[in-house]
Amino acid sequence: MGFDLGFLVGKMGSTTLATSEYSSVVSMNLFVALLCACIVIGHLLEENRWMNESITALVIGLCTGVVILLASGGTSSHLLVFSEDLFFIYLLPPIIFNAGFQVKKKQFFRNFMTIVLFGAVGTVISFTIISFGATKIFTKMNISDLELGDYLAIGAIFSATDSVCTLQVLNQDQTPLLYSLVFGEGVVNDATSVVIFNAVQNFDLSQITTAVAFQLIGNFFYLFITSTLLGAGTGLLSAYVIKKLYFGRHSTDREVAIMILMAYLSYMLAELFYLSGILTVFFCGIVMSHYTWHNVTEKSRVTTKHAFATLSFIAELFIFLYVGMDALDLEKWKFVKDSPGTSVEVSAILLGFVLVGRAAFVFPLSFLSNLTKKAHHEKIDFRQQVLIWWAGLMRGAVSMALAYNQFTRKGHTTFTGNAIMITSTITVVLFSTMVFGLITQPLVRLLLPAPKTLNRMISSEPTSPKSFTVPLLGNGQDSEADFGQHVPRPSSLRMLLSTPSHTVHHYWRKFDNAFMRPVFGGRGFVPFIPGSPTDQSVHQSQQHLVAEEPTRNQEC
């Protein structure tokens, strides 16, 4: 092969830097191999009602950590050191964007107020309960090195649900209402938790007044609105550019590239302007699926759908494998080896706060939400409330990243109190993900044994990238292009419930068809350019009809 391996090894051993680089290459090779193993084992366990790929990756990460710990003689337990920058900048954006890109928009926006109620108000309630409880109990336990800001940060850390694990344990097609509520709440919840966490770090907590409290509330609404507008604006810009320039006439690669880069640009712009990147990239995904996706060629639609899903899938596995391996980091556990009982006690207390804090808002806010809904099928029954409470108990990489940000310096811990909080966070994340995550799917089957056919019909969206099996240019009953122009008379219960008459959704469709789609494109407004794939497909259809005409005449 003309490749001198001895020369390469000798060159690598010549300097410390080269040795370090070689170690990094070895680590990345092992990590990629473990990712492949997660995919293979996840495929083999596909029919298992208990295991899912997130828990599989977590278990493989833990087992790998044990092997590395034994092989290194107890000096190291992981291949990579957990970094909140790696998590927030590279791993989280593709996951959240794909969730927005694939989400069933009707179901999401039909429950939008309930989602915001759970995600914003509920997070504040949970934050208050966890912070207050931690302040009262941990102060009496005499955990050193913790101040008021640390207790408030604990409230923000453990109020953040794991929306990534939600994607794994809930099915959007089987339980559309449950999925839209839990995952939608998770996105808003993560954004709210990060906003509260940043506010705790930036505000002077020694002088908490009513004005400061109102400033925090105003800051949240400012971030929520501006982040949403930034995401929607970036998505509309991508739709307008692709519609006007129509890259597909020359190269589908450019279409796919501009969609991926514009999606990531929305997240980085939010970080640049100190906004919520989670909300921004989520709403960018929703807008792109509504407009941009319909402006590209058919080949690009298939490519982008699978590209976004694949990137999200790999990032999810990376995160859980990452967390599982880092859970055995000896540096943090050495600080608590003299008081392991304290660490276990703190973990149990925090887990109890998570349970109580979530129950304190899910059931009361569900009751309030039901008061605003007239139709019985739109209300959240008690079984669904239990599942919403349970599915949101899992804590994951967001909690880990915030805990590392608060209680470590560049991944290293120097104080006993900080080490206890880090190890307790790791314990809560592992326990909640593995135990609660394992039980969630069987619990869904127990409480909701058969998905309601009516709900599945109502939530079906043939225009969503998720439902790509439906013909792209087919004229389904739910065609978005026809809404607002003609509203058929309801002839069945399904049509009565799914056909809008004088709702906000109906008026939005009319506005969308009259003003938005002619400018930004979308279903029914695909640009028609001579020589384009659209023109060629139409021309081929016409030729096919002309070829069939003589045959029909002969048959007659």
Side-chain angles (χ1 to χ4, degrees), residues 342-356:
T342 302
S343 180
V344 173
E345 188 177 357
V346 170
S347 302
I349 292 171
L350 289 173
L351 196 60
F353 287 153
V354 169
L355 292 166
V356 175

Side-chain angles (χ1 to χ4, degrees), residues 192-432:
T192 306
S193 298
V194 173
V195 169
I196 294 175
F197 183 82
N198 291 334
V200 168
Q201 289 188 322
N202 296 331
F203 281 88
D204 183 8
L205 300 175
S206 61
Q207 298 178 349
I208 299 179
T209 62
T210 306
V212 173
F214 279 109
Q215 189 176 356
L216 285 172
I217 297 173
N219 186 44
F220 168 74
F221 282 107
Y222 165 76
L223 288 176
F224 187 90
I225 294 172
T226 52
S227 300
T228 302
L229 292 177
L230 178 60
T234 308
L236 290 174
L237 178 61
S238 69
Y240 183 79
V241 169
I242 289 179
K243 179 176 181 290
K244 286 297 182 183
L245 300 181
Y246 204 76
F247 297 96
R249 84 181 88 175
H250 300 303
S251 171
T252 57
D253 296 339
R254 292 171 183 164
E255 288 184 321
V256 177
I258 198 70
M259 286 188 69
I260 294 175
L261 292 175
M262 290 290 285
Y264 191 66
L265 178 64
S266 69
Y267 186 89
M268 295 312 299
L269 283 175
E271 295 296 317
L272 178 66
F273 296 118
Y274 300 101
L275 302 177
S276 172
I278 297 173
L279 281 176
T280 298
V281 77
F282 179 73
F283 282 100
C284 180
I286 291 178
V287 173
M288 277 193 172
S289 71
H290 189 66
Y291 296 107
T292 313
W293 189 71
H294 294 283
N295 294 344
V296 299
T297 61
E298 186 173 340
K299 292 181 180 179
S300 295
R301 295 179 194 179
V302 177
T303 303
T304 52
K305 172 188 177 290
H306 291 292
F308 291 139
T310 302
L311 289 173
S312 173
F313 175 72
I314 294 175
E316 289 172 18
L317 288 184
F318 195 104
I319 287 173
F320 285 105
L321 191 61
Y322 203 34
V323 170
M325 293 176 64
D326 194 70
L328 299 176
D329 185 11
L330 292 178
E331 178 185 304
K332 303 170 185 63
W333 292 99
K334 285 179 180 178
F335 282 93
V336 298
K337 65 179 181 179
D338 296 331
S339 55
T342 302
S343 180
V344 173
E345 188 177 357
V346 170
S347 302
I349 292 171
L350 289 173
L351 196 60
F353 287 153
V354 169
L355 292 166
V356 175
R358 184 157 182 84
F361 76 82
V362 168
F363 298 104
L365 294 184
S366 297
F367 174 77
L368 293 178
S369 176
N370 289 339
L371 293 178
T372 64
K373 298 178 180 178
K374 296 181 181 180
H376 179 73
H377 72 275
E378 293 182 350
K379 294 185 178 182
I380 309 171
D381 60 37
F382 182 73
R383 290 185 176 185
Q384 291 173 330
Q385 292 177 30
V386 172
L387 288 174
I388 292 171
W389 168 71
W390 184 268
L393 292 174
M394 290 170 283
R395 297 297 178 264
V398 174
S399 297
M400 290 277 289
L402 295 179
Y404 273 67
N405 185 287
Q406 179 68 23
F407 298 110
T408 66
R409 296 295 177 267
K410 296 182 179 181
H412 300 285
T413 308
T414 55
F415 300 105
T416 303
N418 291 350
I420 289 176
M421 297 315 305
I422 289 292
T423 55
S424 298
T425 303
I426 293 172
T427 304
V428 170
V429 167
L430 293 178
F431 183 86
S432 63

Side-chain angles (χ1 to χ4, degrees), residues 4 11 223 360:
D4 192 346
K11 186 174 178 61
L223 288 176

Side-chain angles (χ1 to χ4, degrees), residues 484-504:
Q485 299 175 4
H486 172 67
V487 180
R489 181 179 178 181
S491 58
S492 66
L493 179 60
R494 177 194 171 190
M495 291 184 65
L496 178 64
L497 295 176
S498 62
T499 302
S501 54
H502 296 287
T503 62
V504 175

